């Protein structure tokens, strides 16, 4: 396939006991490995193992900085996610963050809190803001492209590298699943 990069995500990849072996295999083939995770079960031992096996980067989804909003959204506290984000940032693995802008739930004030949290660690950490895409009978709607761009502007007050994905964008490249 002449693959240069592999993104390991879907469901929660850190639950898979074979993850370090997969990273070792891919890294051994000269393929950059990038992990997307909710960050809950990363710990010092796991981060060390993933670093040892050659993981290139990890993108941690920070759903909300406010614990009440996070609990409402996910059913769980955000403390492990925030602590593990700091932990990964101290490793040799490149760390990135992503959040979903959800009008009526995760709004501009929450994006700003997340951006400040990241900036307190390192303002050069990349941060991606995704516009929410409704599914099922959820009470929230997609933000407009302008709302997502506004969230990026808010985050850029604190961070150097902020980008976004929203429903009005076209994508380049090919994804092989």
């Amino acid at each position: 396939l002449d693959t240069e990069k592999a993104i390991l995500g879907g469901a929660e990849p850190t639950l898979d006991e074979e993850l370090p072996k997969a990273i070792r295999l891919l890294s051994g083939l000269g393929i950059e490995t990038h992990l997307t995770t909710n960050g809950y079960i990363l710990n010092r031992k796991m981060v060390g193992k993933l670093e040892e096996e050659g993981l290139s980067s990890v993108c941690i989804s920070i759903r909300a900085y406010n614990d009440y909003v996070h609990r409402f959204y996910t059913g769980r506290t955000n403390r492990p996610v925030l602590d593990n984000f700091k932990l990964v940032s101290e490793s040799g693995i490149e760390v990135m963050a992503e959040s979903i802008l959800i009008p009526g739930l995760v709004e501009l004030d929450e994006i700003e809190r997340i951006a400040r949290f990241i900036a307190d660690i390192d303002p050069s950490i990349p941060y991606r803001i995704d516009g929410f895409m409704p599914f099922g009978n959820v009470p929230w709607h997609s933000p407009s492209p302008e709302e997502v761009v506004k969230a990026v502007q808010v985050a850029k007050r604190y961070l150097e590298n902020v980008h976004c994905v929203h429903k009005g964008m076209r994508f380049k490249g090919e994804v092989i699943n």
Side-chain angles (χ1 to χ4, degrees):
L1 294 175
D2 194 28
T3 303
E4 296 176 12
K5 297 179 183 182
I7 300 172
L8 307 171
E12 179 48 48
T14 59
L15 294 172
D16 188 339
E17 294 176 7
E18 300 296 315
L19 179 64
K21 291 178 186 174
I23 292 168
R24 182 180 342 120
L25 173 70
L26 293 166
S27 296
L29 295 170
I31 298 172
E32 286 182 31
T33 53
H34 305 274
L35 177 65
T36 300
T37 177
N38 63 25
Y40 272 102
I41 64 172
L42 292 174
N43 56 42
R44 193 165 304 284
K45 182 178 177 183
M46 180 184 281
V47 169
K49 183 69 172 167
L50 298 176
E51 185 175 12
E52 179 183 309
E53 300 300 354
L55 182 65
S56 303
S57 70
V58 63
C59 182
I60 297 177
S61 297
I62 303 176
R63 304 293 186 203
Y65 184 78
N66 178 294
D67 195 53
Y68 175 81
V69 174
H70 196 277
R71 284 176 188 268
F72 180 80
Y73 185 20
T74 69
R76 300 172 73 182
T77 181
N78 65 358
R79 187 63 10 217
V81 176
L82 301 177
D83 290 345
N84 293 336
F85 188 88
K86 289 178 187 174
L87 178 68
V88 174
S89 74
E90 295 165 358
S91 75
I93 301 169
E94 180 185 357
V95 66
M96 297 174 264
E98 67 177 355
S99 298
I100 302 172
L101 179 66
I102 308 173
L105 183 62
V106 179
E107 299 191 283
L108 290 180
D109 59 338
E110 198 59 28
I111 295 296
E112 183 172 17
R113 283 191 274 275
I114 295 166
R116 280 193 312 227
F117 164 76
I118 297 166
D120 284 347
I121 296 168
D122 182 347
S124 69
I125 292 173
Y127 181 41
R128 187 182 79 227
I129 301 168
D130 298 342
F132 177 69
M133 300 301 288
F135 57 92
N137 293 324
V138 296
W140 306 291
H141 65 277
S142 291
S144 68
E146 294 78 20
E147 288 173 301
V148 178
V149 169
K150 176 68 174 165
V152 168
Q153 292 168 344
V154 167
K156 280 187 173 182
R157 293 179 195 155
Y158 307 93
L159 299 169
E160 300 163 10
N161 186 359
V162 183
H163 53 285
C164 65
V165 175
H166 57 72
K167 65 182 179 182
M169 297 179 78
R170 293 180 185 248
F171 296 95
K172 295 187 283 186
E174 180 183 7
V175 174
I176 301 170
N177 208 354

